[in-house]
Amino acid sequence: MKKSEREYLDKLVQFGCVVCKKHYNANTEPCIHHIRTGMGMGQRNSTENCLPLCHQHHQGGYGVGFHSGKKVWEEKYGTELELLEWLKERL
C-alpha cells in the first residue's frame, strides 16, 4: 500500500462512521467499507472509493448494516456514492 493510500485511510478512520456522523451527529469508530457500486464479482474498489462505517452500519442487522440488506440500507441512509460525495466534501 502506498503512503498516500495509508494517509487517506487514516483520515477516514479519524472522521468516523459516515452514517453516524451524517444522520445522528455522532462519532463512532469505523472499519473501512469498499464501495461495490459498479464493481464486478470479486473486485475491490480503490482506496479513494471507501466509506468509513461503524460495525453496526457495516455488518449489523437487517436495515441497519449494509451487508445485511443493501436496498433497505440505501433507502434509509443514501447510496454509497451519495455518502461518498458527502464525505469528500467534509474531509
Side-chain angles (χ1 to χ4, degrees), residues 47-87:
T47 303
E48 296 284 318
N49 293 317
C50 292
L51 292 173
L53 296 174
C54 67
H55 179 73
Q56 279 298 103
H57 289 123
H58 191 229
Q59 297 197 6
Y62 183 73
V64 177
F66 180 86
H67 292 292
S68 297
K70 176 183 175 183
K71 184 177 178 180
V72 172
W73 188 90
E74 287 189 336
E75 289 171 357
K76 190 172 185 177
Y77 304 119
T79 67
E80 292 173 299
L81 297 179
E82 289 169 343
L83 289 170
L84 181 64
E85 182 179 331
W86 186 87
L87 169 69

Side-chain angles (χ1 to χ4, degrees), residues 38-50:
M39 302 301 296
M41 289 297 290
Q43 292 179 319
R44 177 177 266 186
N45 217 326
S46 71
T47 303
E48 296 284 318
N49 293 317
C50 292

Side-chain angles (χ1 to χ4, degrees), residues 13 16-17 27-31 53-55:
V13 170
C17 175
N27 191 19
T28 54
E29 185 176 340
C31 58
L53 296 174
C54 67
H55 179 73

